[in-house]
Amino acid sequence: MIILGIESSCDDTSAAIINDCVLLSNVIASQKVHEAYGGVVPELASRAHQQNIVPVVSEAIRQAGITKSDIDAIAFTRGPGLPGSLHVGTSFSKGLALALGIPLVDVNHLHGHVLAHFIKEDENTPVPEFPFLCLLISGGNSQIIKVNSPGDMEILGQTIDDAAGEAFDKCAKVMGLPYPGGPIIDQLAQQGDPNRFKFAKPHIAGYNYSFSGLKTSFLYTLRDQLKLNPQFIEENKAHLAASLQKTIIDILMDKFAKAIKDTGIKTIAIAGGVSANSGVREAVQRYCDRRGIKAFIPKRSFTTDNAAMIAVAGHFQYLAGHTCPITAPPFARVVI
Ligand code: KG4
């Protein structure tokens, strides 16, 4: 079964082709236009999606070595995301499905991130067994999810304020780094001392996360130190990045480890943009190696927004008999 996946929830326009979850192509056009503004500008994002979507889909079909008539179904991100951006992918998918006379499958973007672990590079790619626990960490979400099957995901815990990616990006911003700051903090952290600075960690019961206290304590540290030394950030960039990254990892691992212990589940996965972070990947791998737990760490190209994960999620939805009508609107927030 050949599926075309289309992703346009934020600032990446992506199209991918899979054949029974084996990846044939995955084309991503990232939007550079937002860099000058220090964050994603929704109106500019939807305009860039409009410019990108036709060439990106054509290129995905070309790279896959198929023609339009080989496609069995179209899977698209219906939400959550930026409304204007979602509209572009949704409308395009509907138009193409109508023209080709093939079914449409709507995909929850977050399910896509989790199911990225089922993208196969070839027939032998290992995939997680159900149930597994997934730590989904991105720019907009931080969740611990018990994945019982492709269509049955239980959220055990989630952030009550900022997401892990926001903590990286917002702290990077106050350090004067460009957006998105997460990957830059990751790079800087390699040369820094993670124990040089101490930042606040939350005390919340259960499996929920909070990152806003860390953000405030980071901000206060900078403010106090800058009064004493205006060169403080410049002189301590790497140490600040390493200490910030260590604190975020400690917060993430504390609750994730608790969920792993309490559920007794022996297969775990990480997903979402922040799972590209070197420190997070090492910490998860180390934790699992010591306890005989199987860890699925995604390829970096499948951690950030991509259509391959949407196509795979659509594959499972379609097999379960789930298609969506041509009238289905995108959802900015509602979980499908
Ligand atoms: O999953 P994603 O592409 O977008 C959402 O759907 O939210 O995640 C983007 C987030 C941004 O906050 C970005 O800074 C973060 O992922 N990110 C990283 C790294 N690469 C991306 N954070 C820390 N270290 C990285 N290497």
Side-chain angles (χ1 to χ4, degrees), residues 210-231:
S210 164
F211 289 98
S212 72
L214 161 63
K215 197 178 60 185
T216 310
S217 105
F218 188 83
L219 195 66
Y220 282 6
T221 302
L222 291 196
R223 190 196 58 182
D224 295 346
Q225 295 292 334
L226 282 171
K227 277 185 204 152
L228 305 171
N229 171 14
Q231 300 304 315

Side-chain angles (χ1 to χ4, degrees), residues 26-331:
N26 187 30
V27 176
I28 304 173
S30 297
Q31 304 177 357
K32 299 277 167 242
V33 64
H34 308 287
E35 275 168 14
Y37 301 92
V40 177
V41 183
E43 179 59 29
L44 294 179
S46 51
R47 285 172 194 227
H49 281 305
Q50 277 184 322
Q51 285 176 344
N52 294 343
I53 193 126
V54 172
V56 164
V57 170
S58 301
E59 184 58 15
I61 292 172
R62 193 192 66 78
Q63 284 186 15
I66 61 160
T67 62
K68 286 198 289 277
S69 56
D70 294 321
I71 302 169
D72 294 304
I74 298 177
F76 68 99
T77 303
R78 189 172 170 193
L82 299 172
S85 294
L86 289 167
H87 264 295
V88 178
T90 305
S91 310
F92 180 88
S93 303
K94 287 176 181 175
L96 189 58
L98 212 55
L100 297 174
I102 55 175
L104 260 183
V105 186
D106 54 339
V107 171
N108 176 336
H109 180 79
L110 301 178
H111 288 190
H113 272 303
V114 174
L115 296 173
H117 287 282
F118 294 84
I119 302 169
K120 292 186 174 180
E121 305 268 22
D122 58 50
E123 291 295 341
N124 302 318
T125 306
V127 296
E129 276 174 23
F130 298 104
F132 66 93
L133 271 192
C134 185
L135 178 65
L136 172 57
I137 37 180
S138 68
N141 294 275
S142 300
Q143 298 181 331
I144 297 174
I145 305 170
K146 180 166 174 255
V147 188
N148 297 315
S149 72
D152 178 9
M153 300 191 193
E154 262 174 75
I155 297 172
L156 303 186
Q158 58 190 322
T159 182
I160 58 167
D161 41 58
D162 284 354
E166 273 176 290
F168 271 110
D169 296 341
K170 289 178 177 172
C171 292
K173 191 167 185 172
V174 297
M175 282 173 69
L177 300 173
Y179 177 87
I184 305 169
I185 297 282
D186 190 354
Q187 285 257 309
L188 284 172
Q190 321 268 342
Q191 283 99 46
D193 172 4
N195 298 311
R196 178 70 65 89
F197 302 106
K198 293 267 174 284
F199 303 116
K201 291 183 190 167
H203 298 280
I204 300 173
Y207 306 121
N208 281 343
Y209 286 117
S210 164
F211 289 98
S212 72
L214 161 63
K215 197 178 60 185
T216 310
S217 105
F218 188 83
L219 195 66
Y220 282 6
T221 302
L222 291 196
R223 190 196 58 182
D224 295 346
Q225 295 292 334
L226 282 171
K227 277 185 204 152
L228 305 171
N229 171 14
Q231 300 304 315
F232 173 75
I233 296 180
E234 202 44 47
E235 287 170 7
N236 289 281
K237 245 185 197 166
H239 302 315
L240 283 167
S243 305
L244 171 68
Q245 181 167 297
K246 178 180 184 291
T247 314
I248 293 175
I249 294 171
D250 287 351
I251 297 172
L252 288 171
M253 285 311 289
D254 179 39
K255 296 300 175 87
F256 195 37
K258 185 171 154 60
I260 295 171
K261 268 189 221 136
D262 293 353
T263 57
I265 291 175
K266 295 279 183 221
T267 304
I268 67 105
I270 56 173
V274 179
S275 70
N277 182 270
S278 331
V280 170
R281 296 164 83 90
E282 268 167 41
V284 169
Q285 193 68 61
R286 203 176 327 115
Y287 178 89
C288 291
D289 286 349
R290 286 191 188 145
R291 293 165 181 81
I293 293 168
K294 182 120 190 61
F296 283 83
I297 314 277
K299 251 180 86 166
R300 280 200 164 83
S301 53
F302 299 146
T303 58
T304 42
D305 292 346
N306 67 86
M309 68 186 197
I310 301 303
V312 166
H315 168 95
F316 287 116
Q317 293 253 55
Y318 190 54
L319 285 186
H322 177 109
T323 56
C324 89
I326 208 82
T327 49
F331 289 132

